[in-house]
Amino acid sequence: QLQASGGGLVQAGGSLRLSCAASGRTFTRDLMGWFRQAPGKEREFGAAISRNGVSTYYSDSVKGRFTISRDNAKKMVYLEMNSLEFEDTAVYYCAADHNAILTAGLSYSSRQENYDAWGQGTQVTVSS
């Protein structure tokens, strides 16, 4: 089970930190990802992190502004979001992939169909 939190309303240029708590899983085996779905749009990839936390992957739209991290001891994954833009407004979902290899890469990590568990989503609204 995955539980996302930390969303809210923020002005453009501001920051938010999302958290995702995992339970009932062998968290250290999981590739973890953050995806988002804006109103009227399909869900898209944002960021992912390998199970050992060494490798991170980002979409072009968030690279340089967002940072994904994890704490395996706490079974938590985070998404630090800086320089937020109106276009970042979306519901953000954390996801877990139990079958990914350690060096999954961006192409694999960005595919939603590879993830076997999803959180409920947390709303991020950026006002312009």
Side-chain angles (χ1 to χ4, degrees), residues 54-83:
V54 172
S55 299
T56 55
Y57 313 101
Y58 299 94
S59 67
D60 288 342
S61 60
V62 308
K63 191 181 300 181
R65 300 186 299 120
F66 292 10
T67 301
I68 188 171
S69 61
R70 67 190 293 162
D71 185 332
N72 282 352
K74 296 181 179 179
K75 294 189 176 182
M76 297 288 295
V77 64
Y78 307 98
L79 187 68
E80 185 74 36
M81 305 186 295
N82 298 314
S83 301

Side-chain angles (χ1 to χ4, degrees), residues 15-104:
S15 299
L16 275 178
R17 187 195 197 204
L18 305 183
S19 300
C20 177
S23 61
R25 302 180 63 89
T26 306
F27 186 69
T28 52
R29 289 283 309 275
D30 287 332
L31 168 74
M32 297 299 298
W34 284 98
F35 292 77
R36 65 186 185 181
Q37 187 167 19
K41 295 186 177 181
E42 295 185 353
R43 190 163 57 186
E44 65 176 12
F45 169 73
I49 187 167
S50 62
R51 58 182 187 250
N52 63 359
V54 172
S55 299
T56 55
Y57 313 101
Y58 299 94
S59 67
D60 288 342
S61 60
V62 308
K63 191 181 300 181
R65 300 186 299 120
F66 292 10
T67 301
I68 188 171
S69 61
R70 67 190 293 162
D71 185 332
N72 282 352
K74 296 181 179 179
K75 294 189 176 182
M76 297 288 295
V77 64
Y78 307 98
L79 187 68
E80 185 74 36
M81 305 186 295
N82 298 314
S83 301
L84 282 161
E85 303 169 352
F86 177 75
E87 291 74 21
D88 295 317
T89 295
V91 177
Y92 284 71
Y93 299 90
C94 59
D97 176 5
H98 196 64
N99 297 310
I101 62 174
L102 184 61
T103 55

